Amino acid sequence: MLLWTAVLLFVPCVGKTVWLYLQAWPNPVFEGDALTLRCQGLKNTPLSQVKFYRDGKFLHFSKKNQTLSMGAATVQSRGQYSCSGQVMYIPQTFTQTSETAMVQVQELFPPPVLSAIPSPEPREGSLVTLRCQTKLHPLRSALRLLFSFHKDGHTLQDRGPHPELCIPGAKEGDSGLYWCEVAPEGGQVQKQSPQLEVRVQAPVSRPVLTLHHGPADPAVGDMVQLLCEAQRGSPPILYSFYLDEKIVGNHSAPCGGTTSLLFPVKSEQDAGNYSCEAENSVSRERSEPKKLSLKGSQVLSTPASNWLVPWLPASLLGLMVIAAALLIYLRSWRKAGPLPSQIPPTAPGGEQCPLYANVHHQKGKDEGVVYSVVHRTSKRSEARSAEFTVGRKDSSIICAEVRCLQPSEISSKEVNMRSRTLQEPLGDCEEVLC
């Protein structure tokens, strides 16, 4: 009985006593630190069959070693750790598990950010500064950071204390993808910045305009193609086409190069001086003009031609209408007969009496003599002529007096004619000669 009492006195109260502890070192833990885990028994009680766990999952097993080296700590090393082992408590051995311990790995410095000053799209020839920026944790501010710069897979500057890289007189060849790397001196942490695209903007050169059409001058209905190209200049390039300073189309070239404008010739207004313009974010240049002439036409250079051309069809149509009206009028007049004033009276014998005849004889001695023949209308034609003398009681006959001009009068080339009106009875036609 006394023996059993002595044994019970040496049996520990397992349910109430914490026999194992898990420790993480150092504390706090930063990126790059050598992280060590230690599973320790109460009052340094010897342990065996030690197992380590992270977030409830088995991590490592050791028969006698109570320490586990995790290597350089990283952000991924964070988690809840625990351990288990067999505790040797004479005269018994039993298995115990520690409580979980949270391991927080703190960031030594954030990933760097690369920037270009004054801009990631500098103009050609300007100074560009690449700056790699990051900051150490306040608890580790005594560390020294080293910087390196890279472009398109090549190292531009090895690790050094300077966080900036200068590019004097930037050229198009300096365009590309840049990034920087940062690491603490003597440490194992290394972080890289996101890539930064630098595009050096070069001004556009003077574009060249080319006209493409058939072997001869185009005519209405033919196709004409305009090609515009700037030999150099940073894309994107906007090309604009002009006809006599009036824009007729534009195209964008995202990668530079040549652009074209294809159009059909609709009228003579499509002839003239064509040019093109190239523009990017740096400059703008205009090509030399090229003249486009149409087959069988002349391009008018006066401003008035621009508004006369549209009115030509309307003018021609108006002239055609007027001509048609005159033609209809003349046809109707011919069907009705000649005008009354053109119908001479007829003589009794069927002959027509001349209304008036004047002869200027210039031969021999009779030079300067004017012969006149005057007729009058007979009574038999009175009825016919009455319709032309409406409103008059009787007819009057105009007689001309014929004189033989004197030499003095001939030299002055003046012939004095005196007229008189004779109220004579109407009779047969008479011929008076002088």
Side-chain angles (χ1 to χ4, degrees), residues 247-275:
I247 189 168
V248 293
N250 53 51
H251 293 282
S252 178
C255 301
T258 305
T259 189
S260 63
L261 177 66
L262 183 66
F263 65 93
V265 178
K266 297 181 179 179
S267 66
E268 292 188 356
Q269 293 182 352
D270 292 329
N273 294 320
Y274 284 85
S275 62

Side-chain angles (χ1 to χ4, degrees), residues 150-280:
H150 309 267
K151 172 183 178 289
D152 297 333
H154 303 286
T155 300
L156 301 179
Q157 178 178 294
D158 288 327
R159 288 183 180 179
H162 302 291
E164 293 182 351
L165 174 66
C166 293
I167 304 177
K171 305 179 294 293
E172 278 193 283
D174 294 322
S175 299
L177 295 175
Y178 290 79
W179 71 89
C180 66
E181 289 182 353
V182 180
E185 188 175 16
Q188 298 182 6
V189 180
Q190 178 178 303
K191 294 186 178 182
Q192 178 179 309
S193 71
Q195 291 184 339
L196 173 67
E197 183 179 7
V198 175
R199 295 189 300 174
V200 179
Q201 300 297 308
V204 293
S205 59
R206 189 173 191 182
V208 177
L209 178 66
T210 307
L211 274 65
H212 285 281
H213 49 76
D217 291 338
V220 175
D222 293 342
M223 300 298 294
V224 176
Q225 185 180 31
L226 307 179
L227 294 178
C228 187
E229 179 182 15
Q231 296 294 333
R232 64 185 303 270
S234 298
I237 299 176
L238 177 64
Y239 290 96
S240 302
F241 296 89
Y242 294 86
L243 170 58
D244 297 330
E245 301 301 324
K246 181 181 179 181
I247 189 168
V248 293
N250 53 51
H251 293 282
S252 178
C255 301
T258 305
T259 189
S260 63
L261 177 66
L262 183 66
F263 65 93
V265 178
K266 297 181 179 179
S267 66
E268 292 188 356
Q269 293 182 352
D270 292 329
N273 294 320
Y274 284 85
S275 62
C276 71
E277 183 179 80
E279 179 184 4
N280 66 358

Side-chain angles (χ1 to χ4, degrees), residues 66-350:
Q66 301 175 215
T67 304
L68 176 62
S69 177
M70 297 289 294
T74 62
V75 176
Q76 287 74 24
S77 301
R78 297 174 179 174
Q80 293 183 344
Y81 291 82
S82 63
C83 66
S84 67
Q86 290 185 355
V87 179
M88 297 179 63
Y89 197 90
I90 299 174
Q92 295 182 349
T93 300
F94 50 91
T95 302
Q96 291 288 308
T97 302
S98 70
E99 294 183 353
T100 58
M102 183 65 185
V103 176
Q104 292 282 2
V105 180
Q106 300 190 49
E107 192 175 47
L108 183 63
F109 57 89
V113 176
L114 183 65
S115 59
I117 300 172
S119 168
E121 296 184 355
R123 292 193 177 188
E124 189 177 45
S126 62
L127 173 65
V128 182
T129 301
L130 299 179
R131 180 176 296 170
C132 190
Q133 292 178 303
T134 187
K135 188 177 181 180
L136 283 167
H137 193 281
L139 297 177
R140 298 294 178 92
S141 59
L143 292 177
R144 186 184 184 191
L145 295 177
L146 301 179
F147 303 86
S148 61
F149 293 87
H150 309 267
K151 172 183 178 289
D152 297 333
H154 303 286
T155 300
L156 301 179
Q157 178 178 294
D158 288 327
R159 288 183 180 179
H162 302 291
E164 293 182 351
L165 174 66
C166 293
I167 304 177
K171 305 179 294 293
E172 278 193 283
D174 294 322
S175 299
L177 295 175
Y178 290 79
W179 71 89
C180 66
E181 289 182 353
V182 180
E185 188 175 16
Q188 298 182 6
V189 180
Q190 178 178 303
K191 294 186 178 182
Q192 178 179 309
S193 71
Q195 291 184 339
L196 173 67
E197 183 179 7
V198 175
R199 295 189 300 174
V200 179
Q201 300 297 308
V204 293
S205 59
R206 189 173 191 182
V208 177
L209 178 66
T210 307
L211 274 65
H212 285 281
H213 49 76
D217 291 338
V220 175
D222 293 342
M223 300 298 294
V224 176
Q225 185 180 31
L226 307 179
L227 294 178
C228 187
E229 179 182 15
Q231 296 294 333
R232 64 185 303 270
S234 298
I237 299 176
L238 177 64
Y239 290 96
S240 302
F241 296 89
Y242 294 86
L243 170 58
D244 297 330
E245 301 301 324
K246 181 181 179 181
I247 189 168
V248 293
N250 53 51
H251 293 282
S252 178
C255 301
T258 305
T259 189
S260 63
L261 177 66
L262 183 66
F263 65 93
V265 178
K266 297 181 179 179
S267 66
E268 292 188 356
Q269 293 182 352
D270 292 329
N273 294 320
Y274 284 85
S275 62
C276 71
E277 183 179 80
E279 179 184 4
N280 66 358
S281 60
V282 181
S283 64
R284 176 189 302 175
E285 293 290 341
R286 178 77 70 92
S287 70
E288 290 187 359
K290 293 292 184 67
K291 185 176 182 180
L292 177 64
S293 300
L294 300 184
K295 185 183 299 183
S297 65
Q298 295 182 352
V299 180
L300 301 177
S301 59
T302 58
S305 63
N306 294 332
W307 60 268
L308 281 177
V309 171
W311 288 98
L312 287 178
S315 302
L316 293 176
L317 181 61
L319 291 176
M320 293 176 63
V321 172
I322 295 175
L326 289 176
L327 182 61
I328 295 173
Y329 175 77
L330 290 176
R331 285 183 178 178
S332 62
W333 173 76
R334 290 182 65 182
K335 291 181 180 179
L339 295 174
S341 59
Q342 293 178 337
I343 304 177
T346 57

